Amino acid sequence: MNDTTDAFDGLDATTGLDLLRTGRITVEGRLTSASNATLYCTVSDAPRSAACVYKPVAGERPLWDFPDGTLAGREVSAFSVSEALGWGIVPPTVHRDGPFGEGMVQLWVHGDTTVDLVALSHQTDNADLRRMAVFDAVINNSDRKIGHLLPTAGGHLYGCDHGVSFAEDYKLRTVLWQWRGEPLTEDALAALESVRDMLKDPGSALSDVLGRHLSGPEVYALGGRVDLLIHHRIHPYPAPDWPSVPWPPV
């Protein structure tokens, strides 16, 4: 797990994850631009305290292409895949009870506001950004917008909002298509092979999390995407019959 502290109120990611699981959540406000109920909170268990995002299942807006009440679990599943890849793309995330019932709770990333996110999204020589493109292909992310890129002052790149991921059908929509058709890096292939091994082991931590939050066919489809990436050894192409970029892209 990535242990940068600049992003999480001085906490490393491991400590932050423990705090998310055990701390008391206090709602401070609501992010009104979000389509689902997204609450800005503080999680604390004195003396530790950190900002976090809380998305209660009760506040999820019904979608035509995802089962009701599953978005929080998909966010937690995305964190589990990120950890299995070893890339620390998703901030520490848990599924737990909160002031408005069960939901997803994720550490708030204090990002570097001096970074031009539009320019960042077009880079071709950024290794973290390229890993994120692979990660999105694995989880079948249908909503990778520019605003979901969270660079930190310490140089690490996080991503957020993975609730509409893990569909069985190919739904990849992203602003990160600059590597389409290019060979995967050896680093990416090694990480994918590690994930494939974990998916084949029903006793792995990854299999446990996915089994609790995704359907059997969705987990099977995830394994198929990993196998295809390893077999073809290239970044995927956009689907010809599916919008390839989310709208709005920012």
Side-chain angles (χ1 to χ4, degrees):
M1 182 180 293
N2 186 277
D3 285 328
T4 57
T5 60
D6 59 295
F8 306 132
D9 295 295
L11 301 178
D12 62 58
T14 302
T15 303
L17 187 62
D18 179 64
L19 178 61
L20 287 178
R21 290 172 174 148
T22 61
R24 181 174 182 271
I25 297 172
T26 302
V27 176
E28 307 289 351
R30 179 173 180 177
L31 304 182
T32 57
S33 60
S35 56
N36 297 294
T38 303
L39 306 176
Y40 178 78
C41 304
T42 300
V43 58
S44 60
D45 65 351
R48 302 179 302 181
S49 180
C52 66
V53 172
Y54 164 48
K55 297 181 181 180
V57 171
E60 292 181 5
R61 177 172 57 90
L63 299 173
W64 68 269
D65 53 349
F66 287 89
D68 293 351
T70 66
L71 304 190
R74 294 173 194 278
E75 297 251 25
V76 176
S77 297
F79 171 68
S80 185
V81 172
S82 167
E83 293 301 287
L85 287 165
W87 292 340
I89 291 171
V90 181
T93 309
V94 302
H95 196 282
R96 57 163 288 182
D97 195 22
F100 298 101
E102 292 285 329
M104 180 279 282
V105 187
Q106 183 177 86
L107 285 184
W108 178 271
V109 175
H110 296 283
D112 185 350
T113 58
T114 67
V115 175
D116 183 336
L117 295 182
V118 174
L120 171 63
S121 71
H122 291 134
Q123 290 179 3
T124 58
D125 59 352
N126 186 311
D128 285 342
L129 196 67
R130 188 167 186 173
R131 291 188 189 102
M132 187 176 291
V134 176
F135 167 75
D136 286 340
V138 171
I139 70 169
N140 202 14
N141 189 357
S142 67
D143 195 35
R144 173 63 71 202
K145 296 177 179 177
I146 292 172
H148 297 166
L149 305 176
L150 305 173
T152 70
H156 190 73
L157 179 64
Y158 290 99
C160 66
D161 287 342
H162 302 107
V164 285
S165 301
F166 298 101
E168 293 177 58
D169 298 330
Y170 186 64
K171 292 181 178 289
L172 184 59
R173 290 194 302 179
T174 175
V175 294
L176 306 178
W177 286 112
Q178 54 265 53
W179 297 284
R180 62 190 181 278
E182 293 191 15
L184 293 169
T185 65
E186 292 302 318
D187 166 70
L189 287 168
L192 289 168
E193 289 168 357
S194 178
V195 168
R196 181 172 61 181
D197 291 342
M198 294 181 202
L199 290 172
K200 291 180 177 179
D201 177 6
S204 70
L206 177 61
S207 292
D208 176 62
V209 171
L210 299 181
R212 284 187 279 118
H213 296 295
L214 302 178
S215 70
E218 287 170 340
V219 176
Y220 181 82
L222 167 62
R225 290 190 297 272
V226 172
D227 286 341
L228 282 174
L229 287 166
I230 294 172
H231 176 73
H232 292 293
R233 304 175 69 87
I234 62 171
H235 287 264
Y237 288 94
D241 56 351
W242 177 257
S244 61
V245 177
W247 189 262
V250 179

